[in-house]
Amino acid sequence: MEEQINYPKPIFASDGSQLPQNGQFYNIYPDDSLNLVLRFELIDTLDGWKIKIDGKLQQPQSDTYTFITQNGKIHVGQGREPFHIDLARANPVNYAGELRIAKVEDKMQVTEWSNSSGHYKPSPDYRHLANLPEDAFRDTSKWFLL
């Protein structure tokens, strides 16, 4: 029998976004099923952003990715398919959202990212917890109350 961990109940701001507790956001829907998916670490290098696959750094494709930040590491799935709870293994995250990677001046760059996450709904005020370029951030919390 699998042991269930009881995490703190999420706390929300007036805009519907979740406020962090101890630097973490908690899954809002703990009864949702978890899917086992591949996840890859996204790393900022001098040569642009890379994805670590099987211990090797590779250039990512220009695409939109679901991401989570956990324990200081950014993890992405293959495209937009995996849910944030799948990437996080249903555990707390430091941040969650979507990001866009594109080639800029011969380097793969995070050109835009957001807090778009239905399972975590992280507050835009804590975007620094994502470890992504803040100038590329786009707040999507206006959709959290709909």
Side-chain angles (χ1 to χ4, degrees):
M1 186 171 195
E2 190 174 315
E3 182 182 338
Q4 184 171 355
I5 299 171
N6 291 318
Y7 291 115
K9 186 173 178 152
I11 300 170
F12 297 94
S14 61
D15 66 358
S17 65
Q18 186 181 167
L19 298 173
Q21 298 176 65
N22 300 316
Q24 298 185 98
F25 295 93
Y26 295 90
N27 177 15
I28 295 167
Y29 305 106
D31 294 332
D32 280 2
S33 297
L34 177 65
N35 298 302
L36 295 177
V37 299
L38 290 175
R39 70 179 192 177
F40 308 100
E41 187 177 354
L42 183 66
I43 300 171
D44 188 10
T45 73
L46 294 175
D47 295 324
W49 289 85
K50 306 279 185 188
I51 293 180
K52 192 177 201 178
I53 301 174
D54 296 327
K56 296 179 183 172
L57 293 179
Q58 299 181 20
Q59 182 170 299
Q61 294 180 343
S62 290
D63 205 348
T64 299
Y65 296 85
T66 300
F67 84 89
I68 56 116
T69 303
Q70 271 181 332
N71 304 317
K73 294 181 179 180
I74 302 167
H75 298 283
V76 295
Q78 295 179 326
R80 296 174 89 174
E81 273 305 303
F83 291 117
H84 293 105
I85 60 165
D86 300 334
L87 290 176
R89 314 292 198 253
N91 291 309
V93 300
N94 301 112
Y95 217 79
E98 291 184 351
L99 58 80
R100 174 93 181 132
I101 296 177
K103 188 174 264 192
V104 177
E105 297 177 8
D106 293 327
K107 291 182 182 180
M108 299 308 285
Q109 299 295 327
V110 173
T111 58
E112 181 178 83
W113 64 281
S114 73
N115 56 336
S116 182
S117 171
H119 282 95
Y120 293 96
K121 298 183 180 182
S123 169
D125 295 337
Y126 296 89
R127 62 185 170 268
H128 63 277
L129 297 172
N131 296 327
L132 290 165
E134 287 201 40
D135 62 339
F137 178 74
R138 182 175 52 88
D139 181 11
T140 58
S141 57
K142 67 181 176 185
W143 304 108
F144 291 165
L145 291 174
L146 300 177

